[in-house]
């Protein structure tokens, strides 16, 4: 019996049909941006070629020393050297009750920015390098929770970014923008389908449509990036084997049919794989319409143009001129060393004998009464060395005057005062530091993306370290309630802040010294406040100051760390061992944590207090032993204290009130 199997025709949903319509528009937008930006990219390529040492071939017999490369790299290194300080982002509470929550979110940022995690500072510095050559810095920042929570950052290549030609200086306002040259393997596409991110049917269409010829199209789109390697003699296109096919994808944000949309598609295959409302992909897009995962800043801001000039655009013609002057001077020197000559064949019958050779002889036939000088004449090339030196010195001074990169900031000479040093360095880095308002705005935008990203994706237990009333505390988790608060964002960092802090510290020390020298003023000042201020001015952090000022408990960083480890284990349901080195500080650390941490369950609270109580006898014995040792060293008496009353004092110090079995909830009057 014959069985006929009919293929099931896939029927697209309304959303998929809308995505097809949006894709046609996105491809036209892509082509428009590519054509518009080609002259911009050609200009940027000149800067990168000069940085890489790529030069046009010189005429035969002419010098072509790449002095311009040395100048460009030296200038760029100087510009970047003063801007590699970390950028600090702090989330500030707008209401008093949100103080602890703001500290938690700030602590999440500090943890995620570390080199072992998001490595934020390195990517920000990379974006500055790219911005110095192109005039535009791009930073991509996103937060994800699959397979687990993490905050990610990347410095996006300017050759990969496309934007609306007339969109203006602010990327969020561009009606379309995107990033190309995002390559995905078969395995990555399948993983995205399994996670529900990519459309399964569209991924199948992409794989079916992607032909070997599209590999060449990928390379055409990739050509500006490949030229970087070519400038240094490396052929990437012939050495790019990775073991499986690569699909070139485009990440696109567009305003389509009255709403901001997010799309991922293949330009070569003309196939999309993801299509969503932008606000469904990024939580911040609800309050910041048009913002995807990119932030951008200009080094040389133009009020109407997005692709404004770059820092190195100003240096390139000067560097080229200095290179040309040097090579002409070398040509001049060689001409003078090997000047042409005219000879009389009657005197020198064989001209090859006039070529230089060591201890060589030349045969000369002279008529009577004539000098040998009459048989040869040397053409003289004028010496232009002085002109070359003067011109290069002028150009060097010109660069210093117009850009602020001086010998002091380059390290050739010592500035007379710190003020001069900071002044010169500040000029050379303003365009790539927080002094640049657009760069500061970009960092602020990163903070916004991070804040909203944590709210959307931080759904797992996440312990952070914050400063509380009892010192450094480990919270069990950053709760959803913490992430729903409204925070302001404070951006600090860079040499400007370093200078301001140094000046503020000098004023503070001067004020404290004037108070100490005046007994009348000292009598009106809290001594503990004075001591705390002096320790702060000395560079001690809050935790060390807290230990120094805690005269009731014997503790140091190590014993507090051991107490924190025991707390963490009990909170996690584990049973730590007794600490034979426990002190009163160890016990108090655990007790303070119990009463300061509202999120503890009744059982965890009871377990912690019981563990602290077990260590009271151990702490007493350790302190008695230490007190006796000190008294014995001092001849049996210390400040009127002998061994007997020292024992009692040690017991008193380690006696804490009987712990409650559960946290006590204070009664708060209702307004």
């Amino acid at each position: 019996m014959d069985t006929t199997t009919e293929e099931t025709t896939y029927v697209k949903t309304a959303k998929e049909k809308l995505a097809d319509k949006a894709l046609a528009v996105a491809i036209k937008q892509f082509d428009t941006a590519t054509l518009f930006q080609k002259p911009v990219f050609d200009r940027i390529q000149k800067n990168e070629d000069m940085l890489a040492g790529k030069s046009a071939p010189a005429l035969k017999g002419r010098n072509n020393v790449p002095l311009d490369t040395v100048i460009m790299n030296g200038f760029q290194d100087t510009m970047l050297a003063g801007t590699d300080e970390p950028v600090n982002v702090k989330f500030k509470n707008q209401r008093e009750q949100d103080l602890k929550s703001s500290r938690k979110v700030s602590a999440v940022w500090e943890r995620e920015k570390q080199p072992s995690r998001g490595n934020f500072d390195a990517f920000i510095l990379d974006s500055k390098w790219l911005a110095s050559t192109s005039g535009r810095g791009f930073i991509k920042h996103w937060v994800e929770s699959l397979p687990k929570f993490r905050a990610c950052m990347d410095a996006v290549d300017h050759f990969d970014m496309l934007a609306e030609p007339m969109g203006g200086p602010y990327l969020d306002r561009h009606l379309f923008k995107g990033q190309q040259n995002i390559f995905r393997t078969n395995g990555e596409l399948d993983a995205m389908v399994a996670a529900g991110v990519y459309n399964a049917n569209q991924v199948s269409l992409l794989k079916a449509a992607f032909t070997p010829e599209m590999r060449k199209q990928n390379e055409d789109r990739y050509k500006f990036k490949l030229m970087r390697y070519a400038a240094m003699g490396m052929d990437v296109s012939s050495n790019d084997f990775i073991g499986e096919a690569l699909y070139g994808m485009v990440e696109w944000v567009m305003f389509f049919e009255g709403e901001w949309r997010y799309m991922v598609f293949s330009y070569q295959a003309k196939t999309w794989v993801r299509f969503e409302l932008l606000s469904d992909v990024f939580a911040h897009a609800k309050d910041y319409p048009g913002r995807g995962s990119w932030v951008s800043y200009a080094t040389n801001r133009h009020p109407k143009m997005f692709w404004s000039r770059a820092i190195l655009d100003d240096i390139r013609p000067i560097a080229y001129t200095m290179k040309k002057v040097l090579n002409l001077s070398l040509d001049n020197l060689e001409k003078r060393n090997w000047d042409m000559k005219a000879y009389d064949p009657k005197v020198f019958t064989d001209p090859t004998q006039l070529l230089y050779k060591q201890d060589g002889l030349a045969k000369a036939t002279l008529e009577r009464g004539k000098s040998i000088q009459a048989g040869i004449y040397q053409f003289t090339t004028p010496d232009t060395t002085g002109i070359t030196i003067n011109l290069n010195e002028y150009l060097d001074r010109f660069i210093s005057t117009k850009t602020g990169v001086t010998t002091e900031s380059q390290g050739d000479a010592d500035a007379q005062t710190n003020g001069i040093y900071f002044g010169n360095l500040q000029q050379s880095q303003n365009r790539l530091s927080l002094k640049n308002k657009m760069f500061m705005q970009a960092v602020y935008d990163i903070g916004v993306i991070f804040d909203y990203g944590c709210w959307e994706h931080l759904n797992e237990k996440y312990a952070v370290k914050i400063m509380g009333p009892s010192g450094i505390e480990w919270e069990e988790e950053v709760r959803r309630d913490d992430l729903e608060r409204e925070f302001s964002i404070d951006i600090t960092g860079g040499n400007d802040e370093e200078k301001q802090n140094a000046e503020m510290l000098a004023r503070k020390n001067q004020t404290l010294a004037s108070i100490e020298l005046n007994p009348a003023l000292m009598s009106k000042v809290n001594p503990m406040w004075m001591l705390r201020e002096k320790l702060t001015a000395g560079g001690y952090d809050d935790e060390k100051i807290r230990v120094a000022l805690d005269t009731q408990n014997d503790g140091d960083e190590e014993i507090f760390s051991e107490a924190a480890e025991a707390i963490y284990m009990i909170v996690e349901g584990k049973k730590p061992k007794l600490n034979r080195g426990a002190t009163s500080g160890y016990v108090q650390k655990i007790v303070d944590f119990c009463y300061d941490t509202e999120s503890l369950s009744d059982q965890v609270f009871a377990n912690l207090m019981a563990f602290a109580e077990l260590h009271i006898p151990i702490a007493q014995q350790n302190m008695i032993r230490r007190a006796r040792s000190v008294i014995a060293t001092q001849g049996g008496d210390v400040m009127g204290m002998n061994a007997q009353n020292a024992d009692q004092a040690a017991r008193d110090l380690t006696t804490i009130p009987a712990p409650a079995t559960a946290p006590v909830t204070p009664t708060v009057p209702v307004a």
Side-chain angles (χ1 to χ4, degrees):
M1 181 176 179
D2 293 333
T3 303
T4 303
T5 304
E6 296 183 359
E7 284 191 14
T8 303
T9 303
Y10 180 82
V11 179
K12 291 194 173 186
T13 65
K15 178 182 176 181
E16 291 171 332
K17 292 177 181 178
L18 183 64
D20 290 342
K21 185 178 177 182
L23 175 64
V25 175
I27 289 174
K28 291 181 180 179
Q29 292 172 340
F30 185 97
D31 289 335
T32 298
T34 301
L35 182 63
F36 176 79
Q37 291 175 196
K38 185 181 183 306
V40 177
F41 287 175
D42 288 339
R43 169 182 59 80
I44 297 171
Q45 190 64 52
K46 293 177 182 178
N47 290 335
E48 296 205 358
D49 284 348
M50 190 172 285
L51 283 170
K54 181 180 179 181
S55 300
L59 296 174
K60 185 176 180 180
R62 297 292 182 87
N63 286 281
N64 195 23
V65 178
L67 180 65
D68 53 345
T69 296
V70 177
I71 294 170
M72 285 279 275
N73 279 283
F75 178 85
Q76 187 187 52
D77 289 345
T78 304
M79 290 290 291
L80 297 175
T83 64
D84 59 354
E85 297 86 353
V87 174
N88 303 311
V89 176
K90 297 291 183 185
F91 297 89
K92 299 291 185 180
N93 57 301
Q94 296 183 331
R95 302 180 304 174
E96 186 176 0
Q97 60 265 40
D98 296 340
L99 174 62
K100 198 168 185 179
S101 295
S102 68
R103 288 176 175 173
K104 288 182 183 180
V105 177
S106 295
V108 176
W109 168 274
E110 289 298 322
R111 186 176 177 188
E112 290 299 316
K113 71 175 286 190
Q114 297 303 313
S116 59
R117 298 178 75 87
N119 203 15
F120 293 175
D121 290 329
F123 288 120
I124 291 175
L125 188 60
D126 289 345
S127 80
K128 292 179 180 180
W129 190 99
L130 293 166
S132 69
T133 67
S134 67
R136 268 282 162 185
F138 296 94
I139 302 172
K140 188 175 186 177
H141 181 50
W142 71 100
V143 182
E144 59 186 37
S145 51
L146 290 175
K148 59 186 300 184
F149 173 82
R150 66 170 183 162
C152 307
M153 187 175 287
D154 192 17
V156 182
D157 195 337
H158 38 256
F159 290 143
D160 290 340
M161 291 300 300
L162 297 167
E164 182 190 356
M166 299 294 289
Y170 303 105
L171 186 61
D172 286 357
R173 298 181 182 179
H174 288 217
L175 296 179
F176 63 83
K177 54 263 186 174
Q179 178 184 351
Q180 61 176 328
N181 294 323
I182 301 174
F183 293 97
R184 295 280 184 261
T185 64
N186 273 309
E188 288 174 323
L189 291 176
D190 293 340
M192 297 295 269
V193 170
V197 178
Y198 286 175
N199 183 292
N201 182 64
Q202 291 296 125
V203 168
S204 298
L205 293 175
L206 170 64
K207 291 181 178 180
F210 212 84
T211 62
E213 290 75 18
M214 291 181 183
R215 175 186 176 88
K216 178 62 170 63
Q217 294 176 10
N218 270 341
E219 291 179 357
D220 288 342
R221 292 290 173 190
Y222 207 49
K223 65 180 180 180
F224 283 107
K225 297 163 74 72
L226 296 177
M227 288 172 69
R228 284 197 185 119
Y229 295 91
M232 302 182 72
M234 293 180 280
D235 182 8
V236 176
S237 60
S238 300
N239 300 277
D240 60 350
F241 174 78
I242 64 166
E244 57 180 309
L246 281 178
Y247 301 86
M249 310 299 291
V250 179
E251 186 178 359
W252 204 250
V253 171
M254 60 190 297
F255 191 74
F256 179 72
E257 294 197 353
E259 299 208 63
W260 285 101
R261 313 279 181 168
Y262 176 87
M263 178 183 287
V264 178
F265 65 92
S266 166
Y267 177 84
Q268 289 78 23
K270 304 296 187 290
T271 305
W272 61 270
V273 295
R274 186 179 186 184
F275 182 70
E276 309 279 352
L277 286 173
L278 184 62
S279 56
D280 289 342
V281 179
F282 302 111
H284 61 259
K286 295 181 177 69
D287 296 321
Y288 296 87
R291 181 176 300 173
S293 57
W294 314 283
V295 301
S296 180
Y297 59 94
T299 60
N300 299 69
R301 180 179 179 178
H302 191 286
K304 296 298 180 183
M305 294 176 60
F306 184 74
W307 293 102
S308 52
R309 64 190 180 89
I311 298 172
L312 293 187
D313 288 337
D314 298 332
I315 305 302
R316 190 176 71 247
I318 300 174
Y320 173 77
T321 302
M322 295 178 76
K323 167 192 173 180
K324 187 173 182 179
V325 168
L326 172 67
N327 283 289
L328 286 174
S329 181
L330 292 175
D331 291 342
N332 175 264
L333 179 62
E334 289 189 357
K335 287 179 180 178
R336 286 188 288 115
N337 287 338
W338 307 101
D339 273 334
M340 294 180 63
K341 300 176 178 65
Y343 73 98
D344 185 345
K346 295 180 180 178
V347 177
F348 298 100
T349 56
D350 183 5
T352 60
Q353 296 183 51
L354 297 175
L355 297 175
Y356 174 80
K357 52 183 176 293
Q358 187 175 354
D359 298 328
L361 297 174
K363 180 180 179 182
T365 305
L366 294 175
E367 297 180 5
R368 185 180 299 273
K370 285 191 176 182
S371 170
I372 194 172
Q373 284 83 359
I376 191 166
Y377 174 80
Q378 181 169 338
F379 297 96
T380 304
T381 301
D383 183 0
T384 61
T385 304
I387 297 174
T388 300
I389 294 174
N390 291 337
L391 184 55
N392 275 338
E393 286 181 350
Y394 167 77
L395 291 172
D396 189 53
R397 289 194 300 271
F398 180 83
I399 293 177
S400 300
T401 302
K402 298 303 181 184
T403 66
V405 178
T406 64
T407 54
E408 287 82 3
S409 60
Q410 291 173 332
D412 285 347
D414 294 329
Q416 297 299 314
T417 66
N418 284 337
I420 294 175
Y421 169 76
F422 276 116
N424 290 334
L425 187 57
Q426 181 179 351
Q427 292 179 57
S428 66
Q429 63 187 3
N430 280 352
R431 295 174 182 174
L432 292 172
S433 70
L434 294 176
K435 194 78 172 179
N436 180 348
K437 299 302 181 183
M438 288 200 73
F439 175 71
M440 176 177 277
Q441 181 64 46
V443 178
Y444 180 89
D445 293 343
I446 289 172
V448 169
I449 294 174
F450 181 84
D451 186 16
Y452 279 79
C454 288
W455 175 83
E456 185 177 17
H457 293 283
L458 188 49
N459 303 315
E460 61 191 62
K461 286 188 176 182
Y462 192 97
V464 292
K465 189 167 62 173
I466 64 173
M467 178 60 66
S470 302
I472 296 295
E473 300 175 352
W474 278 96
E475 290 290 332
E476 178 184 352
E477 60 182 321
V478 181
R479 296 176 295 176
R480 182 74 173 185
D481 182 56
D482 295 316
L483 300 170
E484 289 178 346
R485 313 297 173 92
E486 293 291 335
F487 305 122
S488 61
I489 299 176
D490 188 17
I491 310 296
T492 59
N495 283 307
D496 287 338
E497 184 188 5
E498 182 181 341
K499 178 187 176 183
Q500 293 169 4
N501 289 342
E503 293 173 348
M504 184 181 299
L505 181 61
R507 290 196 302 269
K508 179 183 286 189
N509 285 332
Q510 185 178 2
T511 302
L512 293 175
S514 65
I515 294 174
E516 284 185 305
L517 294 174
N518 190 323
L521 293 177
M522 275 298 295
S523 65
K524 299 180 182 298
V525 174
N526 184 338
M528 292 299 290
W529 175 87
M530 173 66 76
L531 181 55
R532 178 180 289 276
E533 288 299 305
K534 292 184 75 66
L535 289 171
T536 301
Y540 292 97
D541 59 36
D542 290 342
E543 176 66 2
K544 286 185 172 62
I545 292 174
R546 191 197 69 80
V547 174
L549 298 181
D550 187 357
T551 59
Q552 298 299 314
N553 295 299
D554 178 25
D556 55 25
E557 286 185 339
E558 185 173 347
I559 200 67
F560 285 142
S561 174
E562 293 171 4
E565 176 66 19
I567 291 170
Y568 175 77
M569 292 181 68
I570 293 173
V571 169
E572 291 293 310
K574 302 175 183 177
K575 186 177 181 181
K577 296 180 180 179
L578 285 178
N579 192 322
R580 299 299 178 185
T583 65
S584 60
Y586 182 92
V587 175
Q588 196 64 48
K589 174 80 173 180
I590 299 173
V591 174
D592 288 343
F593 178 84
C594 288
Y595 284 99
D596 293 337
T597 308
E598 299 176 358
S599 59
L600 294 178
S601 67
D602 293 354
Q603 186 60 53
V604 172
F605 180 93
N607 292 343
L608 285 166
M609 292 298 291
F611 185 76
E613 192 171 12
L614 286 175
H615 284 81
I616 292 176
I618 298 173
Q620 288 176 339
Q621 291 301 317
N622 287 335
M623 294 189 70
I624 290 171
R625 189 180 303 110
R626 184 174 301 178
R628 286 176 174 173
S629 175
V630 172
I631 290 172
T633 303
Q634 299 297 326
D637 183 70
V638 178
M639 299 177 63
M641 190 175 285
N642 54 36
Q644 184 176 357
N645 54 29
D647 288 357
Q648 186 58 46
R651 292 189 182 93
D652 293 341
L653 282 174
T654 52
T655 300
I656 61 175
T661 57
V664 178
T665 304
T667 303
V668 181
V670 179

